[in-house]
């Protein structure tokens, strides 16, 4: 007697159907970015189960670590669409399962296919050969994973499914979405709750799906979640909620110094394309020796800064940075460096400010030494939500977002993001000390020199 088996076992939600249609069309690469609680793993594993029943072979469902796979899918007990039990039992019909190996986390199907559940942290999947691979929480996998997979996918005419929330732009999920969203060999989908209507977020700074408040979610038979309740209860930070529940490409950074302020900048529309309109520009520096020198370019509207450009580099002499500034062609009103620019070189007895003036006719003013970096940061925090940042300064946006406290020392974490953030702090401190002044435009006289010492003051 033949038994009719329905795949998928769990009825897809409406917003999940396009993914299924593309899979049935035969697309080889699927990349889905859906918000939290939207069934990414249920959909991905269900697609894997159907493909494994259609073509006999080995298949892999991979998380960033094996422990993660064990917790998130192998041992996960859930209730979905009124059905309760182990997640994999709801996805793989018992009639299709020949065995389950708890030690190796494998499922053998009646047609001979084997689905392996593991992590990419130990690269055990390399060299095994398979007909299908699913990468869950793809934004957190190491980038070399797809490099190892690529020849396997080509050799076996295998398919790839990757899912996850965006978690910022410095990850492979976001970058591969941008690279392949128009490619007919790929199905790429980036959904937000505004499209899927899975929950609401109504609060002082958010008004998402307000019509759902007080209504019952037919999928859970409970009131629709208001994400603001989670934020108010301190269960989740505002920025992490945006990342996970709104599925925005804004990463929540652990111990972020300016996380809340950067979120407000995004929400208030202060990051975009702002015309210079011939207005004068100021530069604010953070000087590096063996690490980056960073320069923030800003114009002022009254006392409000508009950051319109950003530059950083490593291993160049001071002339390089002056050349970059001149090549940009802005009408400059002033240049500001931190207090250590007044420190004299042990070998020459000349400081950077004097050297810039005498060798290049480049007039710089020093910003006073701070009494407390923490106090400076509080000044930045108070003022950061009121500025504007142009898209040309995208590198600075990344640095400000990822500027962090060291949880072990309570001090600023010195890494690749601290130099840009320090240059921005110099801007705020110059404003705080009422130093920002069009001194260059008042004094048009410049001294021109042709004598350069290229190895002098390497920054």
């Amino acid at each position: 007697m033949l038994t009719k088996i329905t795949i998928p076992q769990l009825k897809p939600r409406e917003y999940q159907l396009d993914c299924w249609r593309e899979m049935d069309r035969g697309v080889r690469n699927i990349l889905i970015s859906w918000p939290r609680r939207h069934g990414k793993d249920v959909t991905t594993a269900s697609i894997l189960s159907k493909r494994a029943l259609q073509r006999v072979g080995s298949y892999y469902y991979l998380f960033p670590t094996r422990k993660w796979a064990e917790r998130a899918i192998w041992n996960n007990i859930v209730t979905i669409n009124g059905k309760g039990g182990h997640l994999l039992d709801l996805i793989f019909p018992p009639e299709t399962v020949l065995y389950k190996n708890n030690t190796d986390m494998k499922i053998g199907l009646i047609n001979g296919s084997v689905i392996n559940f593991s992590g990419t942290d130990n690269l055990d999947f390399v060299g095994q050969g398979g007909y299908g691979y699913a990468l869950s929480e793809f934004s957190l996998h190491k980038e070399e994973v797809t490099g190892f997979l690529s020849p396997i996918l080509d050799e076996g005419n295998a398919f790839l499914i990757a899912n996850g929330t965006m978690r910022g732009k410095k990850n492979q999920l976001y970058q591969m979405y941008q690279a392949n969203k128009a490619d007919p060999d790929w199905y790429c989908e980036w959904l937000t709750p505004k499209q899927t209507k899975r929950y609401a977020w109504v609060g002082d700074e958010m008004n998402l799906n307000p019509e759902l408040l007080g209504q019952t979610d037919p999928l859970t038979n409970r009131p629709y979640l208001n994400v603001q309740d989670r934020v108010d209860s301190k269960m989740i930070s505002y920025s992490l909620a945006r990342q996970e529940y709104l599925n925005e490409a804004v990463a929540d950074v652990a111990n972020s110094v300016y996380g809340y302020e950067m979120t407000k900048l995004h929400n208030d529309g202060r990051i975009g394309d702002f015309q210079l309109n011939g207005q004068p520009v100021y530069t604010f520096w953070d000087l590096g020796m063996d690490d980056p020198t960073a320069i923030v370019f800003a114009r002022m509207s009254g006392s409000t800064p508009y950051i319109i450009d950003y530059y950083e580099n490593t291993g160049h002499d001071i002339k390089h940075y002056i050349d970059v500034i001149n090549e940009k062609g802005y009408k400059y009103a002033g240049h500001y460096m931190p207090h250590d620019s007044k420190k004299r070189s042990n070998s020459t007895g000349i400081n950077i400010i004097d050297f810039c003036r005498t060798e290049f006719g480049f007039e710089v003013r020093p910003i006073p030494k701070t009494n407390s970096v923490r106090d400076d940061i509080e000044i930045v925090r108070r003022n950061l939500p009121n500025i504007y940042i142009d898209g040309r300064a995208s590198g600075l946006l990344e640095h400000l977002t990822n500027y962090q406290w060291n949880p072990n020392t309570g001090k600023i974490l010195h890494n690749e993001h601290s130099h840009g953030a320090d240059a921005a702090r110099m801007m705020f401190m110059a404003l705080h000390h009422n130093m920002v002044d069009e001194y260059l435009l008042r004094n048009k006289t410049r001294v021109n020199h042709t004598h350069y010492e290229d190895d002098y003051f390497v920054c």
Side-chain angles (χ1 to χ4, degrees), residues 343-392:
K343 185 177 179 180
R344 297 186 181 278
S345 168
N346 290 333
S347 60
T348 66
I350 302 174
N351 63 41
I352 293 179
I353 289 180
D354 289 341
F355 181 74
C356 288
R357 182 181 65 255
T358 58
E359 294 297 319
F360 310 116
F362 190 79
E363 298 286 343
V364 180
R365 290 188 173 178
I367 299 168
K369 183 178 181 179
T370 183
N371 293 320
S372 167
V373 172
R374 282 183 174 271
D375 289 346
D376 289 3
I377 286 173
E378 289 307 313
I379 291 171
V380 176
R381 278 175 165 164
R382 289 198 299 269
N383 293 282
L384 184 56
N386 301 318
I387 73 170
Y388 294 84
I389 304 181
D390 193 278
R392 287 171 290 180

Side-chain angles (χ1 to χ4, degrees), residues 329-440:
Y330 299 132
K331 179 174 70 176
Y332 292 104
H335 305 289
Y336 299 87
M337 290 183 178
H339 74 281
D340 52 6
S341 59
K342 297 190 299 179
K343 185 177 179 180
R344 297 186 181 278
S345 168
N346 290 333
S347 60
T348 66
I350 302 174
N351 63 41
I352 293 179
I353 289 180
D354 289 341
F355 181 74
C356 288
R357 182 181 65 255
T358 58
E359 294 297 319
F360 310 116
F362 190 79
E363 298 286 343
V364 180
R365 290 188 173 178
I367 299 168
K369 183 178 181 179
T370 183
N371 293 320
S372 167
V373 172
R374 282 183 174 271
D375 289 346
D376 289 3
I377 286 173
E378 289 307 313
I379 291 171
V380 176
R381 278 175 165 164
R382 289 198 299 269
N383 293 282
L384 184 56
N386 301 318
I387 73 170
Y388 294 84
I389 304 181
D390 193 278
R392 287 171 290 180
S394 58
L396 180 63
L397 285 171
E398 195 72 27
H399 295 324
L400 290 171
T401 300
N402 290 278
Y403 191 49
Q404 296 169 270
W405 297 108
N406 186 326
N408 298 320
T409 65
K411 298 180 180 179
I412 289 297
L413 185 63
H414 186 79
N415 59 16
E416 69 272 21
H417 301 295
S418 55
H419 309 286
D422 283 343
R425 180 163 59 89
M426 291 302 101
M427 180 189 75
F428 285 105
M429 297 316 298
L431 288 166
H432 178 71
H433 290 295
N434 296 314
M435 293 180 58
V436 179
D437 175 58
E438 295 182 350
Y439 66 87
L440 290 180

Side-chain angles (χ1 to χ4, degrees), residues 69-348:
E70 184 177 357
R71 180 184 69 252
I73 197 165
W74 189 262
N75 291 329
N76 197 2
I77 298 176
V78 297
T79 299
I80 302 175
N81 299 348
K83 298 180 179 180
H86 281 89
L87 176 59
L88 291 178
D89 291 339
L90 300 179
I91 292 173
F92 293 87
E95 300 90 340
T96 68
V97 176
L98 184 63
Y99 66 85
K100 288 179 69 176
N101 183 325
N102 285 305
T103 301
D104 296 328
M105 291 202 301
K106 293 182 178 182
I107 291 178
L109 302 184
I110 56 175
N111 68 335
S113 287
V114 177
I115 296 93
N116 304 270
F117 297 85
S118 190
T120 59
D121 49 334
N122 55 18
L123 301 180
D124 281 350
F125 62 92
V126 176
Q128 298 298 314
Y131 288 160
Y133 293 82
L135 300 176
S136 187
E137 301 294 349
F138 185 49
S139 57
L140 300 178
H141 286 265
K142 297 177 182 177
E143 288 196 14
E144 60 261 32
V145 168
T146 51
F148 287 120
L149 276 181
S150 183
I152 301 173
L153 296 174
D154 292 335
E155 183 179 345
N157 192 29
F159 66 88
L160 173 70
I161 309 175
N163 73 50
T165 50
M166 279 299 175
R167 296 178 181 266
K169 299 179 180 180
K170 290 277 188 173
N171 64 74
Q172 210 172 2
L173 175 61
Y174 177 84
Q175 293 162 1
M176 284 180 60
Y177 173 86
Q178 296 295 341
N180 300 294
K181 60 185 178 182
D183 189 331
D185 290 333
W186 286 73
Y187 175 68
C188 300
E189 185 175 56
W190 181 357
L191 294 180
T192 70
K194 187 175 182 179
Q195 300 164 291
T196 62
K197 304 295 183 183
R198 285 293 294 118
Y199 37 71
W201 189 347
V202 180
D204 293 339
E205 300 177 4
M206 197 71 67
N207 190 38
L208 172 73
N209 299 335
E211 71 279 6
L212 299 182
L213 289 184
Q215 304 298 313
T216 299
D217 182 353
L219 295 177
T220 64
N221 292 318
R222 296 194 299 269
Y224 281 102
L225 169 69
N226 181 10
V227 178
Q228 186 65 40
D229 294 338
R230 295 279 175 90
V231 175
D232 291 342
S233 68
K234 306 302 179 185
M235 292 178 63
I236 187 171
S237 70
Y238 181 75
S239 54
L240 183 59
R242 286 183 61 209
Q243 171 190 298
E244 294 299 300
Y245 285 95
L246 295 191
N247 196 26
E248 294 184 344
V250 178
D252 180 71
V253 179
N255 306 301
S256 173
V257 176
Y258 300 132
Y260 176 76
E261 290 76 19
M262 293 304 294
T263 296
K264 283 191 64 64
L265 278 177
H266 280 277
N267 283 350
D268 294 346
R270 291 176 176 265
I271 298 173
D273 182 14
F274 304 110
Q275 298 299 316
L276 186 58
N277 297 325
Q279 293 166 294
V281 172
Y282 302 85
T283 67
F284 305 89
W285 298 51
D286 178 65
L287 296 169
M289 294 301 291
D290 296 325
D291 47 14
T293 284
I295 306 173
V296 169
F297 298 74
R299 66 175 175 87
M300 301 293 163
S301 178
S303 59
T304 301
Y306 283 69
I307 295 176
I308 54 97
D309 209 341
Y310 175 75
Y311 181 78
E312 74 171 51
N313 215 322
T314 308
H316 294 281
D317 57 40
I318 198 72
K319 177 182 178 293
H320 167 83
Y321 299 99
I322 295 174
D323 287 344
V324 168
I325 286 174
N326 290 332
E327 288 166 5
K328 287 183 176 291
Y330 299 132
K331 179 174 70 176
Y332 292 104
H335 305 289
Y336 299 87
M337 290 183 178
H339 74 281
D340 52 6
S341 59
K342 297 190 299 179
K343 185 177 179 180
R344 297 186 181 278
S345 168
N346 290 333
S347 60
T348 66

Side-chain angles (χ1 to χ4, degrees), residues 26-41:
V27 68
R28 278 187 59 192
N29 303 295
I30 295 176
L31 191 152
I32 54 175
S33 181
W34 298 345
R36 192 59 56 204
R37 297 180 60 187
H38 274 61
K40 295 186 291 294
D41 280 317

